[in-house]
Structure formats: structure tokens, C-alpha cells
Amino acid sequence: MYSRKRTLTAAILLMFLIPVFLPAGSWVKVAKNPEEGWKLLVDGEQIAVHGVVWSFTPIGENYSYSLWDQPKELIQEMIDTDAALMHEMGVNAIRVFTDVPPEWISYLYQRYGIYTVVNDLFGRYGMSVDGRWYPRTNYADIRTRELILEQLTENVSRYVDVPGVLFYLLGNENNYGLEWDSDAIEDLPVGQRLEVRAGYLYSLFEEGIQIVKDIDPTKPVGIVNGDIQYMNLIDALVPSLDILGVNTYRGDAAQDLFYESVAETLDVPIVYTEFGADAFNVVEGREDQYHQASIIKGQWEEIYRQSYGKGGYQNTLGGFVFEWMDEWWKSAGMVEDLDVHNDDASWSNGAYAHDAAFGVNNMNEEWWGICAQSTVKTDGVHERRPRAAYYLLKDLWTLDQINSTPEEIAAHFDRDVQPYVNRGEIEAIRQSDKEDPVVDFRGKMMFVGNGHFTDIDMINGGIDQISTSRGQWAYLGLDISPFNSVDAGMTVRIQGEVPDTVFEQEAYSRYGSFTLDAASLTDPANPANNPPLPNQDFYPASRVEIYDGYFNWETDLADVDFYFHNGHTDWIAEGDYFGLLPEAFDFFGMDKEGSKAPFGAEFTGKDYLEGLKIYGGPEIYWGSDPQVMAKYYRENETLSWSLLYNQVVGADQSGSSNGYSQRASGWIGLNLWPWINTDLGVLFSGSEHLGDSYDHVDKNADGSYSVVPNQQINIMDTLAYKVDLSTELILYTKLFARYIYAGRVADSNNIITRDGTQTVDVGTGNRHEFQGGVRFQYGGLSVMPKFLARMPLSHPLPFASGGPRKSLFDPFAVYANREAYQVEVVVAYDPTGDTYFFDWDNAERENAPLAGYVSLLYSLYEGPTDATSYKNMYGEDFSFGLGLPSINGLWSVKSRVVWNAAPSVRLIGTITGGAAQSTGEDDRIVTYFGSGVSARMGQWFIDSSVDVNAWGYEDWYKQFNITYPLQWKLDVSRGFDIPSFVDTDNRLGVRWKGRMYDQYAPADEVPGGENWNMEVLAYLSVSW
């Protein structure tokens, strides 16, 4: 009796404990009824897949954006925003192009009843094989196949027993990416090559399916194929296939032959993994909700008719509409115009006949969403605006796909889409009024309070003086959109008090008023050229002024854009090989000295004027004369070229080495990857210096100089030539070299480097220059040693012969183009290739757990320089009286590390150091060190730095060789939203700065002989 009771008790306990130890996930399988066709069963219950491809990339981001690296609160807000709308619509499954963490798959399922398909991309978009990145995956390579299967094993193992996983898919139309080359197939005709390549791909799919089934036998496994290409190979090579996922864009119907081909060849069920229609009509140039909804209606009616028990081929389980929401990053090379909803189509498809036209692309990649994405945010997430297709599907899916009859389907789908269009367009008007009203007001207010502690004697103790000051600014903006093709706006700045600071003077001095000292306008080296003037009041900024403005007009043949102090990119990526147009941005206070650059208008050609740009104005980049530039640029994968002409139209010609009235350049780029890439360019820098006299200086073998007086500038002195060569033929290696010949007055501009290197093209004339090096790339690690050798055509003019030349008064001078020999090593580590570590906004975008770089530069300046020029604080140009001596053994180090310690925690550390000369005339060598740490933790932000024996932060400190034994900064703030690493908008903070002084500091900063100085500044910035 006791034994039976114990057995009964154990049985009862076992009944309760079994669910604890059983897998939490569902059992899913596909099954075929000979009479009624294929069905999908989840724990024995049949379901039809009513899904969407979930897109969630916010405006302003691109393919590198990872939702799963964001703070948990933002992830949940994003999911709740979309999943609530999906649930209301009737979505029961999603497909995603990223690996959704298991906990969020469970969250989607348990809260909203939405399943997730786990989709391993199977090397579709390139992969790293033993340290080398291959943009085209070679499925015939044994090592590549091993790595793909290893990654698949690791990936799928995360999802075993996870509630909410529906089934597994491999790839994403990988049959469209068979572009790799192999010795084994290079002699075959193209068609046969593709067939052989496809064989390697599909045999690997079979191996992958077996691995997934071994790891998780409770779920079906399918592949995502591009349409129904290679059915014969799939049949022969993928016998374990459970589901055929198909990405197809055949208009509103695939037709019976599609289903028949799959049924007779494979006899497996179909899931549409991508299908749909874009919502932009190229012919009419507008959003077109009607045709998007109509096409999607036809597609789903066909799915219903070809599903289980309907008497057709009965082999369709459902589908995933492409896509949930518009993505604004799929044009402009996927890296530009990320906050612009581009309407340029990238490919053509005659199956979408409503906007198909001969010779015109009609597939608009940024407009495929059944929801539009608004620029307006709620709780940190861009608002979704459902289109007609959303409301239509919500009603269509109310019909039971499994138990409905063909007659019921016909009656249910026989509906007019216009009422849904009306609703979608009303939503569009409402959202447009909210996000882009005809008149929109915006603004920003800034308040600062400063406490300045002076005369600090750290040895004897005590603070002799404490001063306080305040500052207030308001920026009020107005944007208008009177027509769809026209946008305009302006910002007015209203200035209140200006804080009286020492450490913030670089930021605030341009706002204040000063009394101009006559002596400050006299150049001691050239008093005759700068006669004294009477003292006068100087106001660099008005109390109320127009701060910036813009005007954009889009037409069929061109876009016309007006810029006034609101930022313009350079043209280097568009064929400006010599960098004649620099960047003009005000991110870090570039509006010093009253500059309003960029100030000009730009014409950008379209259609048959594609490639033509004309840009001109009073100051199109900082410090420029009034001028106009015209450029024609064309590119393709093999050959690209450009022509550029630059004309100064209101020249203030000073006769200096950078004085020109016209310039022209041409460039040809030849890409024969991986064998060789070639860039060739020529520059003509103007004729105004032709016939000017100069003293030529040769360097003798013993290091002395010989002067040949009274030479004249000729046509060769106005020309520059440049050639770049590179090859990636050697495994893991890129070899590169550059040669520059620049005539004595062939000046362009300093070209910004974007690969972490400190050796640059200085852009000045009067030089021969060789650069070269090699970059070894293995996985996320790259090592790049390089060298530079530069020799001026004419060396600096010795003092005994009347030198040095003055950059303000001579046709040319030797300074940045001095004789130099440099070697450098750049080591970088960035395991995620989708966020380039040296992009200007990498601090915001870097998504690697840990990434960083270090650059070490060693310089030998074998030659001295002539004299350069400088500007005083009032914008007057002066020339130094002396140049710099030759110097060997200078060095510098730069390093930056980004650590994403947690989804809401990012730290960035920097290190600088070196031994360097000034950029003026002082010959003291400065050995300096500096470091900084910035950290964002949720809404808190910390920015700190310490510099030892370094110059001040503005460039003029280095010009005059003004250094401080110690400088520091500590800034702690809290943002009203997630704070940015780039600006200080919308936050409240406190900043502490200080300095220690010695004999190299400015005398006016230590009038009482104090050795320490510091100030604390509180600030508030509010934007709306």
C-alpha cells in the first residue's frame, strides 16, 4: 500500500515537472496531404504565414545600424512600436536580416504572438576567410565552406528551444551572388560557369540543412532562393529541403507555371520570403499608394488560391511582404543623404507596368514599406505612418486562409482598394502637417554661467580674485515648404550677454566687442605694408543676425541648392583629385572671424545633365575669394573621369602664393581590381604669376645652397601632375604608391586624410613628392607602414641672400613643402567592416565591441623653411619675419580606442604625443603628451582630457609656440535624450578647465605671476 502511494505521488510530481524540463520551443513541421496539399503545423495546429520582412533602421542610419547594440529601453520601445501595429494588422511572423537575440524573439512571441524566422545569410554579402575579406563569397573554396558551416552551427545553437522560433532559413537569394572566380571554371562559357558555381552553392546548402536538423530537429529548414532559378540543381543537390523560400518580384501574380515548376520539380512547400511593391511612381514623380496596394492584393489572392485545400497546386504556406517600413539609406551609395528620402530608382522591372518606361529605372529601394517612416519621433522612435497596403492587408487577412473556399476567396478579394488609399493618403497629410508643415518653427537656447578663479598661488595658497559672468543666445529658425519641390529656411541668432572667460575664449570671443589696438594691426617685420591705424571699436557679431539659411529647388533636369553657413561636403569622392573644393562645416566653431562659409549656390544636373555640378558664391569655403566651380564627373566600375574648372570672379589678388584667378583639373581613374587601380590627374593653377621673378635656390651635395637670382615663373610652374597606383594581387596585402610633381605656383588645397595616417598631401606647389607603402589586412587587423619623400624644386632663400621669402608677398614660398622624409606605421583593429573606423562620425556609429588604432610618425626635415603668415584675432594677415630651421628626429603618436562596454555604455579614449616644431617662426622643439576619455552611460556624458607641455587648443597657439606645463578639462552633463559625442545640444552640464603656467605662456595670462588658473562653467542647451 505504501509503495503504491509513493508511486502515485511520484507520478503526480512528474506530471508537473515534465513541462519544466521539456523544450520551451514549439514543434513545427511541414506535412503533405495527397489530396489537399502542403500545410505548416505548429504543435499540431495548422497555421498560414501572414508575415512581413521587418525593417527598423532609423532615419539617419544605414546598414551598419544594429538595434541590438542600443540601450534595452530603446530596443523595447522599437519592438513595441512596430509589434503593436503588426499585431493589430494580423501579422503572425516576421523575417529579419539580422540575428535577433533569443530573448527578444521570446518577447515578440509571448507578448504579441509573433513568430520569428531565424535566417542565417550563409555568406551572402561577403565574408572574412582567415583574415581576408572577400566581397564575393566563393562557395567552391574548401576553407570558405568550413567557415560558413562553423558560423551556422554557432548561430543556430543559440535558438534551440527558444519560444517564438518558427523555422530556419539559409541565405538570401545567394544564387544572384555567384560572381566569384576560380581556376577550375575560368575556361567555361559564362552560362556554364554560373551553373558550376550554383552547384557548389546548393551542395553547401544541403550540408547546412543537415547541420541545422542535427542541432534542432523540432523545426523545418529552408533556403531563400532568388525566384525559382536552378530548380534542377536544388532537386539534385538539396534532398533534405523542407521549405523553398522565394524572393520574387513578378508584379501582382506569379502565375500557375511558377507553382507548377516547384511542385513537379521539388515537391516542397513554398514560402514567399520577399515580394511586394514600392510606393513611389517614377512616371508621376509622387508617392503611389494605389498601385502598391493593388499589386499586394493580387499577390495575396494568388497565395490564398494556391494554398492548402484550394484545388490549385496547393503548395504555398504564406509569405513575408517586403517590407515593413521604408529605409532611407538605400540610395546615394548607402552612406550619404541618410536623412533624405531619395526617390531615385536603382533598377527596372517591367512587371510593375504602372510606372515602367523605356530606359527608366522604376524600382525605388527607399519606398518599399507598407509603412512610411516619419522624421517626427515619439519616445526616441520615428513614428510609423501606415499606407493603404497596411489597412488593406489588415482586412484581407481576416479571411481564414486554411478553411476558406475558392468562392469565398474570390468574394473576399473582390474589393476596391480606393477606400484604403483614401485612408492612407489622409494619414499622409496628417503626418506631413506634423513633420513638414508649410511653415515650421524651430529653435535652440543656450545659457552659460562662468566662475573664473585667477591669481591662484598653489605654493603659498590662496585665490586673490574670483569673477563671474553669464552668456545667453537664442537661435530661432523658420522652415517653409510652399511646394513639393521647394524647401527653404533660415536661422536668426539673438545674442545676449557674452561670458568673460579665459579658457572658453576660442568659443566666445567672436561674439563679443573689443577695442581695436592700433599696434595689433602693425606687422613688426613689415611695418611699411601695415601702417598704424587709430584705435577703433570692433564688433565681430551683431546682437541680432541671420546665422544660416538654405534654399532647395528640385526640377526634372537639376537640383538647385543655396547654402549660407549650413555645411557643404568636398568633391574628392566625385573626381576632385586635387581637392580644389574643401569641406565647409561649422561643427566645431568654423564661423570664427565672421565667416559665413559656405555661402553660395549649387546646380546639380540630372537626367542627361547627370554628372554636371556648378557651384559658386561669395565664400564657398572658409576664407575663399568669391568664385565659381564647374565639374563634370562620370564613373563606372572600370573607368571614371572628371573635368573641373575654377574661376575667381571678385578676386582680391594679393600676389601671394595662393592668389589665383582660375584653375582647372582633369582626372582619370582606372579600376582593374584586384590587379591594379590607377589614378592620373593634371592641374593648371592659373596664369597670374607668369613672368614674376624669383630667386632660385639649389641644394649642393655638401648641404650648402646656391642662389640663381632673377628667374621667371613659366608655364611649367603653373602645372601639377599626380599619379596613384595600387594593387591587391598579393593575398592580405595592398601595395600603393603616389608621385606628385607640382610647379612652383601650382597650389591646390590640403587634402583631408581618412585612413588614420598623419602623412598627407599638403596641396602646395614647388615640390617633387613620393609616397608609398603597404597595408596588410587580416580579419579586423590592419598594419600599414608607409613613407614620404619630398623635395622642393626651389629651396628656401637663405637670409644672407635676402631671405626668407614671405608667403604673403612672394610668388611662392617654401614651408609645408619643405624637404622632408617621413616614415609612419598605422595599426588599426576594427572587427566590424560595416562601420569605417576613420569616418568623421565614427564616435557615434562604431558598433564593434572594441576597435582602435595607433599611428606612429617619424620625420626628418632636412631643409629649413621660408616665412609663413598668420592672422590676428581681428582677421588681419601678417607675415612672420623668419622661417623654421631644419630639424631631425621629430615624432608624433596618435591613438583612439572605442569600447562598447554595454548596450548603453560607450567609452572613447585618445592619446597624443610627440616632439614637434611650431608652425610659425619659433625654433623651440616641444615635447608634449595628452590623453582624453569620453564616456556615454545612458543619458549621462563625461568628457575629460589632460595635456602636458602642449599648445593651447586653437591653431594660433602652435603658430606662436605658446605652451602650458599642464592643461585639463572635465565636463559632466546629462542629456534630455541620448547625448551625442559630436555636439552638446539638449543637455545640462558643468565644465571645469584649468592651466598651469611657465615662461612659455602668454604674459597677459599671468600678469601677477600666478602659476595656476581655472574656471568652472555651467551650461544649458535646449532645442525644439
Side-chain angles (χ1 to χ4, degrees):
M1 183 70 175
Y2 174 78
S3 177
R4 280 183 290 178
K5 285 184 178 180
R6 184 171 60 183
T7 302
L8 180 61
T9 302
I12 294 173
L13 287 173
L14 186 61
M15 291 175 59
F16 285 99
L17 290 174
I18 283 176
V20 176
F21 294 101
L22 282 177
S26 302
W27 281 81
V28 184
K29 67 177 183 177
V30 293
K32 184 180 181 182
N33 182 303
E35 301 297 327
E36 297 186 300
W38 287 95
K39 55 186 175 181
L40 179 68
L41 299 171
V42 179
D43 291 332
E45 181 181 350
Q46 185 177 353
I47 70 168
V49 178
H50 292 174
V52 294
V53 177
W54 183 33
S55 49
F56 48 69
T57 305
I59 295 171
E61 301 289 347
N62 64 1
Y63 55 84
S64 66
Y65 176 80
S66 173
L67 174 61
W68 318 116
D69 290 336
Q70 307 305 312
K72 181 178 180 180
E73 297 77 14
L74 180 59
I75 296 174
Q76 183 170 336
E77 188 65 39
M78 185 83 78
I79 291 176
D80 288 343
T81 298
D82 287 337
L85 283 169
M86 292 178 189
H87 178 74
E88 182 181 353
M89 175 187 174
V91 170
N92 63 4
I94 59 171
R95 176 179 175 239
V96 193
F97 288 116
T98 61
D99 296 328
V100 183
E103 61 268 28
W104 293 114
I105 289 181
S106 299
Y107 179 81
L108 275 161
Y109 174 67
Q110 292 167 349
R111 179 161 184 176
Y112 296 102
I114 296 176
Y115 289 98
T116 300
V117 171
V118 174
N119 193 166
D120 187 286
L121 295 179
F122 220 66
R124 171 63 175 98
Y125 300 103
M127 62 182 299
S128 180
V129 180
D130 294 333
R132 182 171 183 178
W133 175 257
Y134 293 89
R136 302 173 180 89
T137 301
N138 183 348
Y139 296 101
D141 178 70
I142 294 176
R143 181 59 178 150
T144 299
R145 295 168 72 92
E146 290 175 349
L147 288 174
I148 288 175
L149 297 180
E150 288 174 10
Q151 293 171 9
L152 175 67
T153 302
E154 180 181 352
N155 187 22
V156 172
S157 298
R158 302 167 57 207
Y159 297 101
V160 177
D161 301 335
V162 174
V165 174
L166 187 59
F167 49 79
Y168 297 98
L169 291 173
L170 307 183
N172 185 54
E173 56 193 36
N174 299 48
N175 52 305
Y176 292 162
L178 301 175
E179 300 168 352
W180 44 273
D181 291 312
S182 168
D183 292 339
I185 62 172
E186 63 182 4
D187 294 329
L188 294 175
V190 172
Q192 294 182 42
R193 290 182 196 173
L194 293 179
E195 193 87 1
V196 172
R197 292 168 179 167
Y200 285 113
L201 168 65
Y202 290 111
S203 66
L204 188 63
F205 271 140
E206 172 64 18
E207 294 181 41
I209 290 173
Q210 291 295 342
I211 286 175
V212 176
K213 289 187 174 184
D214 288 342
I215 296 172
D216 187 355
T218 70
K219 305 289 190 300
V221 189
I223 66 172
V224 179
N225 207 58
D227 210 89
I228 55 172
Q229 190 181 33
Y230 300 123
M231 288 294 101
N232 59 323
L233 293 180
I234 298 174
D235 179 46
L237 299 175
V238 198
S240 301
L241 184 69
D242 294 319
I243 297 171
L244 178 66
V246 177
N247 292 357
T248 187
Y249 296 94
R250 297 185 172 213
D252 62 358
Q255 305 299 334
D256 284 353
L257 183 61
F258 176 92
Y259 304 94
E260 180 183 3
S261 297
V262 177
E264 293 186 353
T265 306
L266 301 182
D267 194 26
V268 296
I270 300 168
V271 171
Y272 281 98
T273 42
E274 280 186 29
F275 68 113
D278 68 48
F280 192 86
N281 191 306
V282 171
V283 174
E284 299 178 5
R286 63 173 182 85
E287 184 182 50
D288 186 351
Q289 297 192 45
Y290 179 86
H291 284 103
Q292 183 190 41
S294 297
I295 291 169
I296 290 176
K297 178 173 81 84
Q299 293 167 338
W300 273 100
E301 182 174 3
E302 188 177 64
I303 288 173
Y304 269 69
R305 290 182 178 277
Q306 296 291 352
S307 60
Y308 181 82
K310 303 303 184 295
Y313 290 98
Q314 304 179 138
N315 57 353
T316 304
L317 304 179
F320 298 88
V321 177
F322 186 84
E323 59 184 331
W324 171 245
M325 181 181 69
D326 290 342
E327 297 181 276
W328 288 31
W329 57 270
K330 291 188 172 181
S331 297
M334 303 184 187
V335 294
E336 299 176 355
D337 294 342
L338 300 181
D339 57 353
V340 177
H341 202 185
N342 291 289
D343 56 22
D344 50 325
S346 56
W347 55 292
S348 61
N349 190 337
Y352 295 78
H354 64 281
D355 66 344
F358 179 76
V360 177
N361 291 333
N362 65 328
M363 296 286 97
N364 298 81
E365 289 288 348
E366 296 193 4
W367 292 77
W368 282 85
I370 59 173
C371 291
Q373 185 170 192
S374 171
T375 56
V376 177
K377 285 185 176 182
T378 299
D379 296 328
V381 176
H382 293 279
E383 293 181 1
R384 288 30 170 159
R385 188 250 297 172
R387 291 193 170 109
Y390 171 92
Y391 297 112
L392 174 66
L393 284 172
K394 179 180 177 181
D395 282 355
L396 292 179
W397 285 345
T398 59
L399 179 65
D400 186 342
Q401 180 176 327
I402 297 167
N403 297 311
S404 57
T405 66
E407 294 74 22
E408 291 172 333
I409 293 171
H412 185 71
F413 279 82
D414 184 18
R415 62 181 66 211
D416 185 6
V417 302
Q418 190 59 50
Y420 301 99
V421 174
N422 294 341
R423 182 172 181 182
E425 291 182 345
I426 289 173
E427 290 298 322
I429 293 171
R430 288 174 179 170
Q431 195 67 38
S432 178
D433 289 342
K434 182 189 296 187
E435 68 186 31
D436 192 20
V438 174
V439 179
D440 185 31
F441 295 96
R442 53 182 163 78
K444 180 172 75 171
M445 301 190 71
M446 298 172 59
F447 305 91
V448 299
N450 179 63
H452 184 204
F453 306 89
T454 59
D455 296 343
I456 302 175
D457 189 338
M458 298 297 291
I459 297 176
N460 300 316
I463 300 175
D464 293 342
Q465 182 177 350
I466 301 176
S467 61
T468 60
S469 60
R470 298 179 299 274
Q472 311 88 27
W473 295 269
Y475 295 80
L476 303 178
L478 173 69
D479 300 301
I480 60 173
S481 301
F483 311 104
N484 289 335
S485 60
V486 175
D487 295 293
M490 62 178 291
T491 304
V492 174
R493 181 177 64 189
I494 303 173
Q495 175 182 299
E497 299 172 279
V498 179
D500 181 16
T501 73
V502 170
F503 301 108
E504 303 286 340
Q505 65 178 344
E506 295 88 357
Y508 300 128
S509 62
R510 62 183 180 272
Y511 300 135
S513 60
F514 308 90
T515 299
L516 187 62
D517 182 1
S520 67
L521 294 180
T522 302
D523 184 354
N526 295 279
N529 294 313
N530 296 279
L533 298 174
N535 291 353
Q536 56 187 290
D537 290 335
F538 183 76
Y539 296 93
S542 303
R543 291 289 184 181
V544 180
E545 65 171 342
I546 297 176
Y547 184 72
D548 61 37
Y550 70 93
F551 175 83
N552 305 320
W553 179 29
E554 296 184 5
T555 70
D556 292 338
L557 291 180
D559 292 341
V560 179
D561 301 286
F562 169 77
Y563 297 88
F564 180 63
H565 198 203
N566 56 3
H568 192 288
T569 59
D570 60 38
W571 284 350
I572 291 175
E574 302 176 7
D576 185 8
Y577 190 41
F578 291 89
L580 301 187
L581 179 65
E583 288 185 343
F585 285 98
D586 188 27
F587 290 134
F588 308 107
M590 283 296 291
D591 57 347
K592 59 185 178 182
E593 300 166 5
S595 170
K596 294 300 181 184
F599 188 2
E602 184 173 48
F603 172 97
T604 303
K606 297 158 66 174
D607 201 0
Y608 61 83
L609 296 178
E610 183 76 26
L612 176 64
K613 279 191 175 183
I614 302 173
Y615 181 33
E619 190 180 8
I620 60 177
Y621 58 89
W622 186 83
S624 69
D625 289 325
Q627 58 189 281
V628 62
M629 289 189 176
K631 175 176 63 70
Y632 191 74
Y633 167 69
R634 304 299 295 175
E635 68 170 341
N636 59 46
E637 291 186 359
T638 302
L639 178 66
S640 304
W641 59 276
S642 70
L643 295 172
L644 190 152
Y645 180 75
N646 179 203
Q647 176 70 55
V648 175
V649 294
D652 177 18
Q653 295 302 316
S654 62
S656 66
S657 60
N658 63 356
Y660 60 89
S661 59
Q662 70 278 322
R663 294 183 295 184
S665 70
W667 163 76
I668 295 175
L670 183 63
N671 179 16
L672 299 176
W673 186 92
W675 294 280
I676 192 166
N677 291 333
T678 304
D679 292 284
L680 301 166
V682 59
L683 168 72
F684 169 67
S685 61
S687 59
E688 46 276 330
H689 288 297
L690 288 176
D692 287 359
S693 63
Y694 68 95
D695 293 333
H696 173 67
V697 180
D698 274 326
K699 186 177 182 181
N700 302 316
D702 61 359
S704 63
Y705 294 93
S706 299
V707 179
V708 183
N710 299 321
Q711 301 299 296
Q712 288 189 332
I713 299 294
N714 60 39
I715 190 66
M716 287 299 296
D717 293 318
T718 69
L719 300 177
Y721 306 93
K722 182 164 64 170
V723 57
D724 282 283
L725 300 173
S726 66
T727 179
E728 297 183 48
L729 193 57
I730 303 173
L731 189 65
Y732 310 128
T733 304
K734 178 179 180 179
L735 300 171
F736 56 91
R738 167 180 291 178
Y739 170 69
I740 300 172
Y741 167 86
R744 290 172 176 81
V745 294
D747 291 327
S748 54
N749 287 304
N750 188 343
I751 295 180
I752 299 173
T753 60
R754 291 182 168 89
D755 59 0
T757 181
Q758 300 179 64
T759 52
V760 299
D761 180 352
V762 296
T764 58
N766 189 40
R767 61 187 165 124
H768 289 286
E769 183 168 302
F770 295 89
Q771 292 188 38
V774 56
R775 185 181 68 193
F776 302 98
Q777 180 85 37
Y778 188 87
L781 178 67
S782 69
V783 180
M784 183 174 65
K786 60 185 301 189
F787 72 91
L788 178 148
R790 182 171 58 236
M791 181 71 69
L793 306 179
S794 289
H795 288 266
L797 187 62
F799 184 81
S801 301
R805 300 185 189 94
K806 304 293 181 66
S807 61
L808 283 179
F809 312 113
D810 290 283
F812 69 88
V814 176
Y815 203 82
N817 51 359
R818 70 198 294 190
E819 182 181 355
Y821 304 92
Q822 297 178 314
V823 292
E824 182 184 18
V825 177
V826 181
V827 180
Y829 176 72
D830 186 359
T832 57
D834 52 355
T835 51
Y836 183 53
F837 190 77
F838 300 106
D839 274 345
W840 71 272
D841 59 349
N842 176 265
E844 289 293 328
R845 293 189 180 277
E846 182 56 58
N847 59 10
L850 183 68
Y853 93 106
V854 60
S855 166
L856 300 169
L857 175 67
Y858 186 82
S859 302
L860 306 176
Y861 291 121
E862 292 291 346
T865 74
D866 288 320
T868 188
S869 62
Y870 66 94
K871 288 181 180 288
N872 69 2
M873 65 185 301
Y874 308 107
E876 297 292 329
D877 290 308
F878 293 143
S879 176
F880 286 104
L882 300 173
L884 294 171
S886 60
I887 182 71
N888 293 335
L890 300 184
W891 61 276
S892 66
V893 57
K894 291 185 177 181
S895 179
R896 181 169 70 95
V897 176
V898 179
W899 179 29
N900 288 302
S904 59
V905 178
R906 173 172 297 183
L907 292 90
I908 299 178
T910 59
I911 295 176
T912 59
Q917 288 180 304
S918 74
T919 53
E921 62 182 6
D922 189 89
D923 61 0
R924 176 172 61 97
I925 303 303
V926 175
T927 301
Y928 64 95
F929 300 94
S931 65
V933 175
S934 299
R936 180 172 64 196
M937 297 162 286
Q939 291 180 252
W940 285 97
F941 193 88
I942 298 174
D943 186 23
S944 62
S945 65
V946 175
D947 293 282
V948 178
N949 200 40
W951 299 281
Y953 299 116
E954 284 287 288
D955 56 5
W956 60 268
Y957 284 93
K958 190 171 183 179
Q959 283 183 312
F960 292 95
N961 223 12
I962 297 172
T963 60
Y964 302 91
L966 180 66
Q967 300 176 84
W968 72 87
K969 176 184 71 173
L970 176 62
D971 190 323
V972 180
S973 62
R974 179 175 172 83
F976 305 133
D977 201 343
I978 298 176
S980 168
F981 281 89
V982 177
D983 60 52
T984 58
D985 287 351
N986 283 313
R987 67 177 72 176
L988 174 66
V990 177
R991 185 159 54 242
W992 175 39
K993 286 186 176 182
R995 280 176 182 157
M996 183 179 179
Y997 297 101
D998 61 10
Q999 68 270 30
Y1000 301 116
D1004 60 348
E1005 288 192 28
V1006 287
E1010 65 271 19
N1011 51 16
W1012 294 82
N1013 201 351
M1014 66 183 68
E1015 63 186 16
V1016 176
L1017 184 139
Y1019 60 91
L1020 171 66
S1021 173
V1022 181
S1023 302
W1024 66 90

